[in-house]
Amino acid sequence: MKPVGTAPPEPARRRPVARALRAGLTALLATLVAGSLAPAAASAAQAPGRPSPATERALPGNTPNRTGGTDYYIDATNGRDEAAGTSRKTAWRTLAKASATTFRPGDRILLKAGEEWHDEQLWPKGSGRAGKPITISAYGDPRARRPYIAANGKVPNPFKADGTKNPETVGLTGAIVLRNQQYFEIDHVELSNDDDFATNITTGTYVRDGIAVSINADLLPPGADSVMDHFRITDVYVHDLDGPSTWQKIHYGGVNFQVFGAKSYKEYGTGGHHFKDVKIEDNTFENVELHAVQFAFNWFAADGQDAGEYDEAGKFHEGWEQLWVRTRDLYSRDVSISHNYAESIGQGAFQFANSKNMTAEYNEVNGFLQRYDAVSCGLYLWAGADSVMQFNEVYGGPDNEYDGTPWDLEYTNFNVTYQFNYSHDNAAGWMAYMGNSSNSVARYNLSVNDNGVLVKNMLSTNYTPTYFTNNTFVYDGADLDYVHDETFLSRVYFLNNIFYNTSESAATPWYRRTGALRQAVFSNNAFYEAGGTHSTQEPADQAGVRADPKFAGDPAKYVTGAGVDRIRTAAAHFKLRKDSPLIDAGRYNPHLGTEDFLGTHIYYGDAPDIGMAESRIGRKVRNPVDEHPIEDEQGGRPNLALGKPVTASSTHPGANGTLVAANLTDGDPATRWAAADDAAYPITLDVDFGADTTFDEVYLDEYTDSGTNPRVRTFDLQRWDAGSGAWVTFASGSDGVGHDRSVTGFGDVTTAKLRVALTGLLPSEVYSPTLTEIAVHRAARRAPAQGR
């Protein structure tokens, strides 16, 4: 325990405004330091707890209160709690005094710079209102250290003795606490929450935050507003928050927004219980657990099967996937998280959830999953919607089999885009990719030495295709695990990407599972192998380019340390030279957006360029049109069963009636049919062509998911014989269906109806079959030669 009045040693690193350039990893950076990116002189560098010169002239407490409220001053050395608190001479002494006070809209709580409060937390009561927020800020000597609240772990435990969450104390674990309060602004303070900076906590039930903002649904009076509005957290330095490196089913971090409720989410109303209009900007986080910023994980007894629900497409989401946030409109909204710096973070640095209309930009992560050996990523959103992650930089990630990547296209996201991000030196890879999402797009990103798995996982099908467009990947093929490690379960488009392998000894390892790229479509990508040998796994790409991209800079001397404010300077190292073969070699698709990483319009010339930077060569195409959609190119030979009616002998009644046989011929691999649990075998699926149809191939595909394996062991294919009025078997299988099973070798079959009879399950399976597609094809017949 640190004695009262003793501050911890100040870390040697600089605050965000002074960290324009840190030590780089490359020779090129040394050149940049000598030029326009050179940092300020060392004598001007500020310690993290000390306001920068730009801030010194504008400590908010040294300027008049313009919101019409009352200013309250707190001075840990010369203050007196018996005083009025409304002037510097009558300042209060303790945070307890402020925590026992209900403040009014427009009031300011001003902490004296250079002062410290140990073993205390600040929980002011009351709320502001529109135009009159309550402010927590600093006043006094601009040369002094920021006012410092060292809670030293002296915060309530959010658990009961039996290990369950305590509805009375969850959310009260911060150095600064707000619960069921709104219209607050917090700035220019320093916070820590640990009783021993030198020892890492690894066990126990410790939960400690820097700033904890929560909605406790159970403590809101009937009819009370459940939407908490307007929060500003700016220029706050949070360090040394410690907790066990185990999952306690509760989150904590530097800035932590959470919603709590002890009952099932179904017992609460819809359209509320969320945050609105939040800005978390220009803050520094160092050596914290679990997250730098966490926003906003809802807890409404929402784990497991009982809390799950089916969506409109018949896909089941377990409770932890939080589809209920969408169906009950519990999203927090209008959130901006930007220009924050995070270093040495125990778990995922920036974990965002349950939010829509969120923009996360210009955030920098230097080391994440440092002390937590489990799933998480550097900066990501899950169970969110209509949000953008852009201009962020993440590096120093772990070597982790499970996630561990800088970015993540997570479960239950709708319309989430990752663009213009720079990641480098992350051992687990580039992007985790889970599924059960719609309209996921990752475009114009730069990845260098993310030598794990470039696109990691995929545990569920998606509602719509995913697009990876115009990304530049530079990696060491000898160190890279795979481009993809599992199996894409639904359509994924790779357009205009650069895959640049720097290894001269090992070709790119594309996958580890047979059929991994079965749903991946590659078009107009560049494949460069420094060793000259291309992998036999390399995907087919008829418009692909196998040539040196000719980057503007040496790929081995990529830029690091420039900081997110100069992220485009780092990215420009990988723009294309004027003689690059990748210029005008891409294809347009609306998912490319409107500009590239460097802010250049899409596109110039005859076609977009390949990679994350467009060259201004050729005529500017102001309103591009996709005249040849890649989405229309799939299928090759016509599917003779497409759109034809299907009759099933058994259909599962669950999933809101969406598991119907018509899904088998709709051409969409994301939809499916399932038999009832008590279905009698054989289970038959009859496709009615409407007229005699000739084919020589039948394609079958089973549905699989994170908890669903292939189930069919034996099956028969039968044709309807109108003459005898009977079904006639023309092909059979005894080795399962699985994915992409094409049955051929039976010659030409002509019939008006096709029956797929599922006759037996695999020995390991107990549940009934579920399939996504039945397709029927006929090989193209060559026209007879013409006589002369």
Side-chain angles (χ1 to χ4, degrees):
M1 177 71 67
K2 299 174 294 295
V4 174
T6 301
E10 292 197 20
R13 62 162 299 97
R14 303 182 179 114
R15 295 180 57 256
V17 295
R19 68 164 187 268
L21 201 64
R22 292 184 302 280
L25 299 179
T26 68
L28 178 63
L29 183 58
T31 302
L32 291 172
V33 169
S36 61
L37 293 183
S43 60
Q46 302 294 313
R50 188 181 301 281
S52 68
T55 308
E56 289 174 1
R57 296 186 296 272
L59 278 181
N62 293 341
T63 61
N65 185 337
R66 302 187 185 281
T67 58
T70 300
D71 286 348
Y72 293 87
Y73 297 84
I74 309 178
D75 182 339
T77 301
N78 299 311
R80 293 183 304 110
D81 286 351
E82 299 77 15
T86 53
S87 70
R88 299 188 184 200
K89 292 183 178 181
T90 62
W92 295 332
R93 182 174 184 270
T94 69
L95 302 183
K97 177 65 175 180
S99 297
T101 302
T102 299
F103 295 91
R104 300 175 60 82
D107 288 351
R108 297 194 301 180
I109 304 163
L110 302 175
L111 309 178
K112 187 176 181 180
E115 296 295 313
E116 302 172 16
W117 292 263
H118 286 258
D119 300 331
E120 291 191 76
Q121 66 176 177
L122 175 59
W123 181 13
K125 308 307 187 290
S127 287
R129 67 169 185 263
K132 291 181 175 292
I134 295 173
T135 299
I136 300 173
S137 190
Y139 79 97
D141 186 350
R143 297 165 298 177
R145 180 182 188 149
R146 305 182 204 195
Y148 175 36
I149 301 175
N152 295 333
K154 302 295 186 180
V155 295
N157 192 313
F159 297 99
K160 298 178 181 178
D162 63 1
T164 61
K165 300 183 186 74
N166 185 341
E168 297 296 326
T169 57
V170 290
L172 303 185
T173 49
I176 295 178
V177 169
L178 300 173
R179 182 171 73 182
N180 294 342
Q181 296 166 265
Q182 57 186 327
Y183 291 97
F184 265 83
E185 299 187 357
I186 304 172
D187 56 72
H188 297 88
V189 295
E190 177 184 354
L191 309 172
S192 68
N193 199 347
D194 187 13
D195 57 354
D196 182 357
F197 289 0
T199 303
N200 180 39
I201 295 174
T202 58
T203 60
T205 56
Y206 301 95
V207 174
R208 297 165 175 176
D209 297 293
I211 298 174
V213 183
S214 66
I215 297 172
N216 192 315
D218 299 321
L219 299 180
L220 288 169
D225 185 5
S226 65
V227 177
M228 299 299 134
D229 206 337
H230 187 87
F231 295 89
R232 301 288 185 267
I233 299 175
T234 308
D235 200 18
V236 171
Y237 173 46
V238 185
H239 59 91
D240 293 286
L241 309 177
D242 201 5
S245 298
T246 55
W247 175 231
Q248 303 178 74
K249 295 188 176 181
I250 193 168
H251 286 268
Y252 45 102
V255 173
N256 187 14
F257 282 73
Q258 285 189 91
V259 180
F260 293 105
K263 297 173 288 188
S264 166
Y265 66 85
K266 299 173 184 177
E267 298 185 48
Y268 299 93
T270 61
H273 301 109
H274 63 260
F275 303 98
K276 180 182 178 184
D277 183 24
V278 179
K279 295 184 185 299
I280 303 171
E281 301 175 333
D282 295 300
N283 304 291
T284 297
F285 305 93
E286 291 182 311
N287 197 34
V288 304
E289 306 273 0
L290 293 169
H291 316 286
V293 178
Q294 200 282 135
F295 198 106
F297 192 99
N298 294 271
W299 167 57
F300 285 165
D303 292 335
Q305 293 279 123
D306 292 342
E309 57 185 324
Y310 286 96
D311 60 30
E312 64 274 18
K315 292 164 66 67
F316 182 77
H317 297 250
E318 293 193 26
W320 59 265
E321 294 182 53
Q322 299 189 347
L323 179 67
W324 44 270
V325 173
R326 176 175 177 243
T327 58
R328 301 178 75 83
D329 191 25
L330 302 180
Y331 288 123
S332 291
R333 57 209 71 193
D334 303 327
V335 179
S336 173
I337 300 177
S338 69
H339 294 89
N340 299 288
Y341 175 77
E343 181 176 308
S344 186
I345 307 303
Q347 203 209 53
F350 293 96
Q351 176 172 283
F352 312 133
N354 317 129
S355 302
K356 71 177 183 180
N357 304 327
M358 170 181 277
T359 300
E361 59 184 358
Y362 297 103
N363 299 289
E364 184 175 351
V365 179
N366 178 4
F368 63 99
L369 274 172
Q370 297 292 290
R371 293 166 294 280
Y372 187 98
D373 186 20
V375 294
S376 195
C377 295
L379 184 154
Y380 67 109
L381 170 67
W382 70 291
D386 307 324
S387 297
V388 177
M389 317 288 129
Q390 61 184 11
F391 299 114
N392 302 289
E393 181 179 3
V394 177
Y395 50 96
D399 189 356
N400 195 317
E401 172 70 12
Y402 306 102
D403 298 4
T405 53
W407 327 110
D408 189 352
L409 287 169
E410 255 285 5
Y411 276 107
T412 327
N413 277 339
F414 295 83
N415 307 317
V416 172
T417 297
Y418 287 79
Q419 62 184 9
F420 320 141
N421 298 293
Y422 178 29
S423 58
H424 56 89
D425 303 292
N426 294 287
W430 175 66
M431 175 77 76
Y433 178 47
M434 308 311 292
N436 267 8
S437 294
S438 176
N439 196 31
S440 294
V441 179
R443 63 192 178 201
Y444 290 94
N445 299 288
L446 173 61
S447 165
V448 183
N449 277 347
D450 293 329
N451 290 327
V453 179
L454 292 186
V455 181
K456 195 172 191 177
N457 303 323
M458 189 167 193
L459 303 181
S460 176
T461 56
N462 285 327
Y463 296 87
T464 63
T466 295
Y467 292 80
F468 295 98
T469 74
N470 289 88
N471 302 289
T472 295
F473 303 106
V474 180
Y475 51 86
D476 180 349
D479 194 28
L480 187 74
D481 293 336
Y482 306 97
V483 173
H484 182 53
D485 60 337
E486 295 297 332
T487 301
F488 289 127
L489 299 178
S490 54
R491 186 73 69 216
V492 181
Y493 292 101
F494 288 88
L495 310 178
N496 310 334
N497 302 285
I498 297 175
F499 297 95
Y500 189 104
N501 180 9
T502 62
S503 175
E504 297 183 356
S505 61
T508 299
W510 282 89
Y511 53 83
R512 71 174 174 181
R513 300 190 186 279
T514 301
L517 305 183
R518 53 184 288 272
Q519 292 285 4
V521 179
F522 288 79
S523 182
N524 298 78
N525 299 280
F527 306 92
Y528 177 73
E529 300 285 341
T533 301
H534 289 255
S535 169
T536 57
Q537 294 184 334
E538 187 173 286
D541 187 337
Q542 293 183 350
V545 179
R546 287 183 166 187
D548 186 343
K550 297 186 178 180
F551 294 126
D554 182 348
K557 298 178 179 179
Y558 55 99
V559 178
T560 65
V564 289
D565 289 334
R566 295 179 174 90
I567 195 168
R568 282 177 164 164
T569 299
H573 189 71
F574 289 92
K575 67 182 181 181
L576 304 176
R577 299 202 314 249
K578 292 182 179 180
D579 59 342
S580 170
L582 307 190
I583 293 175
D584 292 355
R587 68 182 298 161
Y588 178 71
N589 182 283
H591 292 87
L592 270 62
T594 60
E595 64 179 35
D596 73 356
F597 200 142
L598 306 182
T600 303
H601 171 78
I602 298 171
Y603 58 92
Y604 291 80
D606 296 332
D609 298 348
I610 297 175
M612 57 89 211
E614 175 74 15
S615 301
R616 299 175 185 266
I617 297 176
R619 178 183 58 86
K620 182 177 183 179
V621 181
R622 296 185 179 278
N623 297 297
V625 176
D626 190 1
E627 297 179 348
H628 304 285
I630 192 170
E631 296 84 355
D632 294 345
E633 295 180 5
Q634 305 313 306
R637 293 175 294 164
N639 176 8
L640 304 176
L642 186 64
K644 302 301 183 182
V646 185
T647 301
S649 63
S650 175
T651 298
H652 200 287
N656 298 322
T658 59
L659 303 177
V660 295
N663 293 337
L664 294 169
T665 57
D666 64 357
D668 184 356
T671 62
R672 63 180 173 121
W673 157 87
D677 293 336
D678 59 354
Y681 291 84
I683 300 170
T684 59
L685 303 165
D686 298 345
V687 180
D688 188 348
F689 298 115
D692 279 351
T693 300
T694 301
F695 56 87
D696 60 7
E697 178 186 359
V698 176
Y699 168 91
L700 305 173
D701 185 64
E702 286 194 75
Y703 172 82
T704 62
D705 212 330
S706 56
T708 307
N709 300 315
R711 295 170 177 172
V712 177
R713 180 175 65 88
T714 58
F715 64 92
D716 294 327
L717 300 182
Q718 301 174 332
R719 63 175 176 83
W720 176 249
D721 186 345
S724 63
W727 291 99
V728 178
T729 299
F730 62 85
S732 297
S734 60
D735 54 351
V737 172
H739 285 302
D740 296 324
R741 177 66 186 265
S742 290
V743 183
T744 59
F746 50 77
D748 284 350
V749 169
T750 300
T751 182
K753 296 180 182 179
L754 166 69
R755 168 169 284 184
V756 178
L758 309 177
T759 57
L761 292 177
L762 292 166
S764 60
E765 299 303 312
V766 295
Y767 293 106
S768 58
T770 175
L771 274 66
T772 66
E773 286 294 303
I774 297 175
V776 175
H777 303 289
R778 189 184 189 198
R781 295 293 189 255
R782 180 178 296 177
Q786 300 296 316
R788 296 192 179 188

